[in-house]
Amino acid sequence: MTPAELAVAIRRILVQMQADGSLSAAELPAEIVVERPKNREHGDWATNAAMQLSGTFNLTPRAFAELLAPRIEALDEVSKVDIAGPGFINITLNLASAGMLARTIVEAGSAYGKGEALLGLKMNLEFVSANPTGPIHMGGTRWAAVGDSLARVLAFQGAEVTREYYFNDHGEQIDRFARSLLARAKGLPAPEDGYGGEYIEQIANAVMASATKDILALEDEAAQEAFRAAGVELMFQEIRESLHEFGVDFDVYFHENSLHESKAVERAISRLRELGHVFDEDGAIWLRSTEFGDDRDRVIVKSDGKPAYIAGDLAYYLDKRERGFDRCLIMLGADHHGYVQRMMAMCAAFGDEPGVNLEILIGQMVNLLRDGEPVRMSKRAGTVVTMEDLVEAVGVDAARYALARSSSNSQLDIDLSQLSKKTNDNPVFYVQYAHARTQQVAVNAKSMKVDHSMFDPALLNHPTETDLLAKLGELPRLAQQSAEFREPHRIARYIEEVAGSYHRWYDNCRVIPLADKPVEAIHSTRLWLNDAAGVVLRNGLGLLGVSAPERM
RNA sequence: GCGCUUGUAGCUCAACGGAUAGAGCAUCUGACUACGGAUCAGAAGGUUGGGGGUUCGAGUCCCUCCAAGCGCACCA
């Protein structure tokens, strides 16, 4: 029996109690919380239903628990129930129904843990969206790891997820990039507000090599335009390639430029004008965003007639909604959090619901250290640590795991000197090793004639076995929470616990009989459990976009 | 000055408002002639930044102070 099934059973009992009059009529929560008690001695599962519902029924938690507990105990799958502390109901399953989980998991395989919390939702997840003016740095790398994992987590709950990259190929930053390329090609130093570094030279050289005519012979303006067009395209390809090697592939690369060329910006503005949220002042066009909680109104089109940055965002958001996305999620770095209010105001101005149709996830910065000292980075000097640098130092799996395992609203410190010498302190290896072990145990078992032919779940009675089973049973709930809170790091923490439980079990319980002993039901049954652990570890690593190796 | 995020073990970080605040790394002590020792068992390490409040119950919610990062444009 899984905890989810237990929760459903408890809810059914409550409904029954209302039907037979032992409880008054009142609204029940859609879901009863069943979780693992921290202390193993408290049983397999615990529910705080009595504490949460006592108020609704005007009873003390204790009294409510005493009413409910006997009925839970009457369930076939339950062997023992007791009430503890302020009103926790601790539940112990009988061994056979607890052990059945092993088989359930193996039979479900890659589907084990899936949920339907977001079934039918069309979600657009925009992340990274780094400017094509240079390689992806650490911040972008973090969002690539977290965002891709989040996309997997959301899809695991039934959402139809589109990964999208907003490609900022319009505006001032791009002009600076083009000027930097031109300067480099001419052998001049990088402009004051421009970009430096080796990659600028490489791109500049590549642009000249692929050009059909001598760009440097052109007038500055034309030359700059030539560098812009070709340079952006090359940079874009390089970024895509880095992301691909990082295991992140976007479904849509959206070009900001296309919004301007297709007149989508004008359409978005006139739409807002129709809705009465736009006004003209000082020769500029403004969005009356204060009406929707912003601290000031925002200029959409500057008095020189050029669109402000937000103009593109207006059109882009509208475009996403017109493409049928119910939920638009955008991941931004903390250096852009000042942007949230106006984006939400914009969403409301279109008549949508901020926080629902548009959700902005802010992630904190990554601090790079070397031997404990902060590393100063400068785009202009080109001393930026890139995604490729990190991957080269530790590999894709270790990099993704390290970036995805902690909450993105806390700043992350990464010490380069530590990464480059010892990678073993990354818990990813602990988890991967556990998975590899499940695979090799299965291989060895097969050669020793241990197979799935027998299954007697009541035999899984060692403390490390009941512990492992209970842990494996938590994946569905964990996966759902991870999606609900948009926090993929919970998956990482969970599989680390699973790996720990698995290793402890392995140390105590043999799957393969000793050389002179026969194969018995216990061995077969344990093979099911071993394989179930493998499934959970594999599914968990999969949600993080990290490989689950057969051997290491 | 205003706003957002954060403050938990020596370090990096966990903990739907739930029971004795947990992992990994680092340190120390142990464990294979038994399915992979990248493992396991154990020790040590904490006034959850300080102070108030809300309630059956607070690391978590509210107020306040302190500290750190980031942001407050007709820049993008």
Side-chain angles (χ1 to χ4, degrees), chain A residues 269-331:
Chain A
I269 294 172
S270 55
R271 176 79 185 281
L272 286 171
R273 202 182 278 279
E274 284 164 27
L275 292 166
H277 304 312
V278 164
F279 65 96
D280 302 279
E281 197 173 289
D282 301 334
I285 302 176
W286 299 67
L287 172 66
R288 200 184 300 282
S289 51
T290 48
E291 201 169 313
F292 304 98
D294 200 0
D295 14 350
R296 62 192 308 160
D297 292 327
R298 304 291 171 179
V299 168
I300 306 173
V301 179
K302 297 184 272 183
S303 51
D304 64 4
K306 287 185 182 170
Y309 185 72
I310 195 174
D313 280 326
L314 294 172
Y316 187 32
Y317 175 71
L318 203 57
D319 183 86
K320 283 179 185 168
R321 296 286 284 135
E322 283 168 356
R323 276 186 282 150
F325 292 105
D326 312 305
R327 308 292 176 92
C328 303
L329 278 66
I330 306 178
M331 304 181 69

Side-chain angles (χ1 to χ4, degrees), chain A residues 128 139 143 330-338 340 361-365:
Chain A
V128 184
W143 309 137
I330 306 178
M331 304 181 69
L332 294 177
D335 52 344
H336 289 95
H337 78 252
V340 174
L361 308 173
I362 296 296
Q364 298 300 313
M365 313 263 90

Side-chain angles (χ1 to χ4, degrees), chain A residues 17 32 54 73 75 100 102 291 336 344 349 384 406 431-432 445 449 460 495 511 545 549:
Chain A
M17 287 169 78
I32 300 297
S54 58
E73 193 155 27
L75 291 170
M100 272 308 292
E291 201 169 313
H336 289 95
M344 288 304 176
V384 174
S406 54
V431 177
Q432 287 185 316
K449 310 290 185 219
L460 297 174
I495 59 178
V511 172

Side-chain angles (χ1 to χ4, degrees), chain A residues 85 137 175 197 203 219 246 268 303 462 464 477:
Chain A
H137 55 274
D175 293 342
I203 300 273
E219 305 251 331
F246 199 59
S303 51
H462 189 275
T464 60
R477 182 176 150 80

Side-chain angles (χ1 to χ4, degrees), chain A residues 224-245:
Chain A
Q224 189 178 315
E225 171 53 26
F227 275 107
R228 189 200 63 77
V232 163
E233 187 53 37
L234 284 168
M235 204 64 245
F236 180 43
Q237 278 167 15
E238 199 168 300
I239 286 171
R240 273 178 80 144
E241 183 60 27
S242 299
L243 286 165
H244 177 72
E245 282 167 16

